[in-house]
Amino acid sequence: MILAGVDIGNSTTEVCVASVDQNGQLEFLSSAAKVTTGTKGTVANVHGIKAALAEAMSKVGMGIHQLDLIRLNEAAPVIGDTAMETITETIITESSMIGHNPSTPAGAGQAVGQLLFIEHIHQAQPGIPYIVAASSEHPYEEVAALLNQYESSLQVEGLILQADEAVLVENRIHKKIPIIDEVRKITAVPEGKLAAIEVALSGQSIRMLSNPYGIATLLQLNAEETRLVTPIAKSLIGKRSAVVIKTPNGNVQENVLPAGEIYIQGDKNQTINVDEGAEKILEALQNAGQVWDISGQPNTNVGNMFSKIKTSMSEVSGENNQQIRVTDILAVDTLAPVAISGALAGETCMEKAVGIAAMVKTQQLPMQQIAEQLREELHTEVKVAGVEAIMASLGAMTTPGTELPLAILDMGGGSTDAAVLNQDGSVNITHQAGAGELVTMLIQTELGLNARSTAELIKRYPLAKVESLFHLRLENGEMQFFDESIDPRLFGHVILLTEDRFIRIDEEIPMEKIVQVRKEAKRKVFVTNAIRALGKVAVDHQIKNIGNVVLVGGSAEDFEIPEMLMEELANYRIVCGRGNIRGSEGPRNAVATGLVMSYVGEQK
């Protein structure tokens, strides 16, 4: 007979086709993978399943109609709608600061002076240092001419422009001063107030105004005032240029936002506020023991997130919201760019946030619907055959060099599964929320990317910087030279090194920062989840009792995640590495292979 194992993942649907003779001898014939269509565990998956089956059967010169049996994994839908809840916010009133990263500030250094609109420059008094502000109504020629006219009689220390004209003005003035441009709400700048301005050299970031004591030095603040400007200094870290304005009645606050409470129903019920951060949330989850359901405080951000998850799953399964249960979450501390209240140039500040991935209780109903739909369309026997983690363990056993007891980590797009297959045949399994999709979201959030597809590519591929038309610098510092010219459109840009081409990242973000955010996101999700999962399935919940771990699933193909896990698990004296399913498939196809193998075991 000819049978197929089908593994429906969050991102990819994988197929393994095999034949079994009358003596129960198993022969693997082919495999294939296609993008999962629809949400994992829903009828929309059927289209992707049929495409993967057709490809796998065509490799051995056969059609789908020649299949005698299709075995599906018991797919637990994992909601990757990982809410990003900001838990701090910088609020600045009465125009206390301007600080952003225009691409073309001009000049360099710091200056302190009284704010003065350029139309009032004839009212200025000699001997008083000024920082002049000019709206876009005043063209750069006029601004430069006025500054040159009053150069000998007035003490102009710096310039703030509404238009993107800093370099044009600098090229025309005799006295070189720091100039900031692209300040949209320039009319809200409070004239007459004392201000400190700073522009960093190209390739550097400001130093004085991103330091509370630097602000205190320039604006002559006392200890209490210095404490109040700390949130301003924090919000200016990494900026190329900035202005801080001393407003006696100004108010600077760093508020903690009520993101809401998470209610964990388990052996021991737990309540935890999102404000307390990811570590405390995961601690509460562990203290709850066996978890039956997780929900959020009504009418809060996190409450709305859980409500949306349950509503979307009720639409999938046909059950009402009360019957849908969230059985696991992964919380991750991160930073999210948030618009600063009271800022004048559309500035954002990296504020504390918590990302949460949630997993819905496995339901047989959606999988049975998929099986029935396939049975109807293909006229073939279809069976929902096994839990993912157990099937992955069986598939992982085909990796050369493995032996029982064997632990596996199956890292996919939406969930991280772990299992320990013992010598007596017993299996301990766990199925946890959070994997590749959460990493993508963290990268997009922390880098402030517009497109999720860009974050996905950053997660998958290493980076380089095109430094000339004939060479680029790799993220590890190595240089790569070319005989033929690189596309001139890539010059000076950070690019992604995919298998067949270079992809330019349009956002102007330093390569080093992208690398740092990418690695940190992977550690937060995969290393945290791996330790959490292995701790649940290990004997006596002691990770040190596990001898070896095989990494399977899509994320095991990543160019750096396996190495991160190897380094971490080496601390527990665990042998860890990528699986090589059937000695030929790499870390892919473990569940599909296990579904085929389990059929033979059942027959015996």
Side-chain angles (χ1 to χ4, degrees), residues 400-418:
T402 57
E403 63 177 3
L404 297 179
L406 177 72
I408 65 108
L409 273 174
D410 184 0
M411 303 174 294
S415 63
T416 300
D417 303 336

Side-chain angles (χ1 to χ4, degrees), residues 96-145:
S96 296
M97 59 82 73
I98 306 165
H100 60 151
N101 271 333
S103 54
T104 54
Q110 305 109 27
V112 179
Q114 194 179 110
L115 286 164
L116 174 72
F117 284 119
I118 198 159
E119 54 264 33
H120 302 149
I121 196 167
H122 61 279
Q123 301 172 3
Q125 299 175 18
I128 297 177
Y130 288 104
I131 290 181
V132 173
S135 71
S136 54
E137 295 177 5
H138 302 275
Y140 63 89
E141 298 98 330
E142 179 190 340
V143 173

Side-chain angles (χ1 to χ4, degrees), residues 334-579:
T334 185
L335 295 170
V338 177
I340 299 171
S341 304
L344 301 182
E347 301 88 2
T348 59
C349 177
M350 298 304 287
E351 301 284 7
K352 292 179 187 175
V354 175
I356 298 175
M359 186 180 68
V360 178
K361 173 67 176 175
T362 305
Q363 297 290 332
Q364 275 282 26
L365 182 61
M367 293 309 301
Q368 291 298 346
Q369 290 174 342
I370 295 171
E372 288 166 15
Q373 184 86 13
L374 280 170
R375 198 176 294 125
E376 192 175 299
E377 293 186 18
L378 301 179
H379 308 291
T380 302
E381 184 183 352
V382 183
K383 184 179 180 182
V384 180
V387 177
E388 264 179 283
I390 298 176
M391 297 303 107
S393 298
L394 291 173
M397 284 177 60
T398 65
T399 294
T402 57
E403 63 177 3
L404 297 179
L406 177 72
I408 65 108
L409 273 174
D410 184 0
M411 303 174 294
S415 63
T416 300
D417 303 336
V420 171
L421 188 58
N422 299 306
Q423 287 173 315
D424 61 3
S426 63
V427 184
N428 299 333
I429 64 170
T430 187
H431 192 61
Q432 297 186 162
E437 293 291 327
L438 180 56
V439 172
T440 301
M441 190 204 66
L442 290 174
I443 291 171
Q444 182 182 7
T445 302
E446 292 197 23
L447 293 177
L449 302 172
N450 294 321
R452 184 179 178 84
S453 57
T454 304
E456 181 69 25
L457 290 169
I458 287 172
K459 178 182 75 176
R460 291 173 179 266
Y461 298 108
L463 299 163
K465 177 79 177 283
V466 180
E467 296 190 333
S468 80
L469 294 180
F470 292 93
H471 90 279
L472 50 82
R473 175 169 55 90
L474 304 177
E475 65 176 61
N476 63 2
E478 292 180 15
M479 294 292 185
Q480 186 172 348
F481 295 88
F482 299 87
D483 294 330
E484 296 183 8
S485 171
I486 301 170
D487 186 338
R489 289 171 295 183
L490 303 179
F491 177 69
H493 285 273
V494 178
I495 60 170
L496 291 153
L497 305 174
T498 70
E499 293 92 345
D500 54 357
R501 63 193 178 107
F502 298 152
I503 298 177
R504 189 179 87 178
I505 296 176
D506 291 326
E507 285 87 352
E508 292 188 16
I509 307 171
M511 179 170 68
E512 292 73 17
K513 182 177 181 181
I514 299 175
V515 171
Q516 178 190 358
V517 167
R518 183 193 72 213
K519 289 186 174 182
E520 199 57 36
K522 290 177 179 178
R523 283 196 185 93
K524 287 175 181 175
V525 175
F526 285 108
V527 175
T528 300
N529 239 2
I531 299 302
R532 198 164 69 105
L534 292 173
K536 286 187 178 180
V537 298
V539 176
D540 299 326
H541 300 295
Q542 297 293 316
I543 296 180
K544 64 183 180 182
N545 292 330
I546 294 175
N548 51 74
V549 174
V550 176
L551 305 176
V552 299
S555 297
E557 291 185 311
D558 187 86
F559 67 99
E560 59 190 351
I561 291 171
E563 284 74 15
M564 287 181 184
L565 291 171
M566 287 179 210
E567 288 176 10
E568 183 66 26
L569 294 177
N571 297 327
Y572 300 91
R573 299 181 182 276
I574 293 174
V575 177
C576 171
R578 289 182 182 87

Side-chain angles (χ1 to χ4, degrees), residues 31 398 400 580-588:
S31 60
T398 65
N580 189 15
I581 310 306
R582 308 202 308 271
S584 61
E585 301 292 318
R588 289 281 194 180

Side-chain angles (χ1 to χ4, degrees), residues 21-169:
D21 63 20
Q22 292 179 335
N23 300 319
Q25 290 298 310
L26 178 67
E27 181 185 357
F28 294 107
L29 300 178
S30 68
S31 60
K34 290 288 184 183
V35 174
T36 297
T37 50
T39 302
K40 174 181 176 179
T42 67
V43 177
N45 299 158
V46 169
H47 184 72
I49 294 170
K50 288 167 64 179
L53 287 169
E55 182 179 312
M57 294 298 284
S58 68
K59 289 180 179 178
V60 288
M62 302 170 76
I64 299 181
H65 64 278
Q66 292 174 268
L67 280 168
D68 299 301
L69 173 65
I70 298 171
R71 289 167 67 84
L72 304 178
N73 65 314
E74 190 176 296
V78 177
I79 304 301
D81 183 20
T82 50
M84 194 56 75
E85 300 307 339
T86 307
I87 59 176
T88 57
E89 178 187 48
T90 299
I91 296 176
I92 298 166
T93 61
E94 207 183 321
S95 313
S96 296
M97 59 82 73
I98 306 165
H100 60 151
N101 271 333
S103 54
T104 54
Q110 305 109 27
V112 179
Q114 194 179 110
L115 286 164
L116 174 72
F117 284 119
I118 198 159
E119 54 264 33
H120 302 149
I121 196 167
H122 61 279
Q123 301 172 3
Q125 299 175 18
I128 297 177
Y130 288 104
I131 290 181
V132 173
S135 71
S136 54
E137 295 177 5
H138 302 275
Y140 63 89
E141 298 98 330
E142 179 190 340
V143 173
L146 283 169
L147 292 181
N148 287 335
Q149 179 184 339
Y150 287 95
E151 178 192 355
S152 58
S153 58
L154 294 180
Q155 193 177 337
V156 177
E157 301 290 340
L159 178 64
I160 305 171
L161 297 172
Q162 187 175 32
D164 181 11
E165 297 176 343
V167 175
L168 294 172
V169 173

